[in-house]
Amino acid sequence: MAINRRNFINLSSLGIAGFSLQGFINTNQVKVQKPIVIATWDAGINANKGAWEVLSKGGTALDAVEKGVMVTEDEISCCVGLGANPDRDGHVTLDASIMDHEFNCGSVAFLEKIKHPISVARKVMEKTPHVMLVGEGAQQFALSQGFTLESGNLSETADKAYKEWLKKSTYKPVINVERQSPTSQLEDKYKAPTRFANGDWNHDTIGMVALDIHGNLSGSCTTSGAGFKLRGRVGDSPIIGAGLYVDNEVGAVVATGQGEDVIRVAGASAVVEHMRQGKTPQEACRLVVEKIKRIKKEKANDIQVCFIALNKNGAYGSYALHDGFNFAVQSNDENKLINAPYNY
Ligand code: GLY
């Protein structure tokens, strides 16, 4: 039987991965799907298009994951870029990270008035001996690298949402469900349009991982974090190992959802380690989501956490705590949205 990608996925999903799969990798018998890029949520469709412009021309995964999420940073959404919801004091503060195939990584947190935090994160990686810069220092560094200081005015959408939120000023996490699933059992109050209109606390992240034609993996993520958060709050996205992790021998993973709960299990790194042990990307994501569920006990009802994972062969998978998470996959000029499997 020829070992094509479909067989590879079927075998691994049946648990026949591990030793035999490793053998296939070593003898190059697995057909590797590359280039390929996957990204979180439906915003991932446009982000993938940005990444694909790089990947389809033989560019690097690192360039692709930067360019890809820049597309989302330019869009107006609740949760990414300067157009996003502010913190409870009315300031938009941004977190981002990037990691390449050689364990090089950079991140910024609590960054204000800079349009493309992902590109600042890359400069941190490439131009400094550090991994992470925060707040005023991150902003000063960005300016020193030629980035422009933006106004700090809220977008029209964010201004409206903030004014709505101020009426109650509650600080109540609401699970993040962007997709309107016809099969969803969620109450309407949890669904995104209702939440946004109510000015509820909400968040998500554009996260992206890619495998380039050269066989190298990279990943990126960028977010404004939790809308109406406490000033100074930083989530998982700029924390290497939590919101993002890449090990070029194994795979690349990004997280979205409630950052605090991703940080407490070193989420992205944990998913990579499960893949190293032979789990498929989806299985690896599921194991970490289920760990979070165990830790949170009944509070798991109130949060959303999701992972997307891509392994060295271009096989991908995802898993979410709750229904409603989707992710975009682009390869061979096809860019499609997939509903992630979920626990609840
Ligand atoms: N996952 C994004 C955040 O919690 O900030």
Side-chain angles (χ1 to χ4, degrees), residues 203 205 223 225-226 233 235-237 256-259:
H203 55 85
T205 304
T223 185
R233 181 265 186 191
D236 59 316
S237 299
T256 178
Q258 180 127 320

Side-chain angles (χ1 to χ4, degrees), residues 141-148:
F141 170 73
L143 298 179
S144 78
Q145 296 297 311
F147 290 81
T148 306

Side-chain angles (χ1 to χ4, degrees), residues 41 79 95 176 201-206 221-227 229 233-238 243 255-263 304-306:
W41 304 104
C79 319
D95 301 338
N176 193 7
W201 194 90
N202 61 77
H203 55 85
D204 69 45
T205 304
I206 183 77
C221 56
T222 176
T223 185
S224 59
K229 61 197 173 186
R233 181 265 186 191
V234 169
D236 59 316
S237 299
T256 178
Q258 180 127 320
E260 286 76 1
D261 296 309
V262 175
I263 292 171
Q304 174 68 302
V305 285
C306 330

Side-chain angles (χ1 to χ4, degrees), residues 129-201:
H130 309 303
V131 166
M132 187 173 195
L133 293 178
V134 305
E136 195 187 330
Q139 190 188 74
Q140 280 172 5
F141 170 73
L143 298 179
S144 78
Q145 296 297 311
F147 290 81
T148 306
L149 197 64
E150 306 291 335
S151 75
N153 293 338
L154 296 184
S155 67
E156 202 179 314
T157 323
D159 191 49
K160 201 163 152 233
Y162 182 52
K163 285 184 177 137
E164 199 59 44
W165 178 81
L166 281 173
K167 288 180 189 166
K168 293 185 290 177
S169 299
T170 51
Y171 191 54
K172 178 168 60 80
V174 177
I175 55 176
N176 193 7
V177 182
E178 293 298 320
R179 176 168 60 84
Q180 298 292 300
S181 164
T183 59
S184 174
Q185 300 300 306
L186 291 167
E187 296 170 57
D188 282 348
K189 68 180 179 183
Y190 288 137
K191 292 179 178 173
T194 312
R195 283 195 352 257
F196 197 73
N198 290 343
D200 276 338
W201 194 90

Side-chain angles (χ1 to χ4, degrees), residues 177-331:
V177 182
E178 293 298 320
R179 176 168 60 84
Q180 298 292 300
S181 164
T183 59
S184 174
Q185 300 300 306
L186 291 167
E187 296 170 57
D188 282 348
K189 68 180 179 183
Y190 288 137
K191 292 179 178 173
T194 312
R195 283 195 352 257
F196 197 73
N198 290 343
D200 276 338
W201 194 90
N202 61 77
H203 55 85
D204 69 45
T205 304
I206 183 77
M208 173 177 278
V209 286
L211 178 68
D212 63 32
I213 196 72
H214 316 289
N216 289 323
L217 291 158
S218 289
S220 64
C221 56
T222 176
T223 185
S224 59
F228 321 118
K229 61 197 173 186
L230 281 174
R231 184 146 178 81
R233 181 265 186 191
V234 169
D236 59 316
S237 299
I239 312 287
I240 299 297
L244 169 68
Y245 200 65
V246 179
D247 183 328
N248 204 46
E249 287 186 356
V250 179
V253 177
V254 281
T256 178
Q258 180 127 320
E260 286 76 1
D261 296 309
V262 175
I263 292 171
R264 67 181 99 248
V265 297
S269 170
V271 174
V272 167
E273 291 313 310
H274 283 301
M275 288 197 287
R276 193 191 308 280
Q277 300 305 319
K279 299 292 186 227
T280 64
Q282 180 181 316
E283 274 293 291
C285 293
R286 183 179 66 77
L287 288 167
V288 180
V289 166
E290 287 180 353
K291 179 174 180 181
I292 293 170
K293 186 184 176 189
R294 279 197 305 279
I295 291 167
K296 295 295 286 185
K297 302 190 176 100
E298 67 279 1
K299 288 185 186 152
N301 284 317
D302 301 328
I303 59 154
Q304 174 68 302
V305 285
C306 330
F307 295 97
I308 60 171
L310 179 65
N311 77 13
K312 188 69 183 160
N313 297 316
Y316 59 83
S318 174
Y319 203 79
L321 185 54
H322 288 271
D323 187 13
F325 173 60
N326 51 17
F327 64 104
V329 180
Q330 173 134 33
S331 63

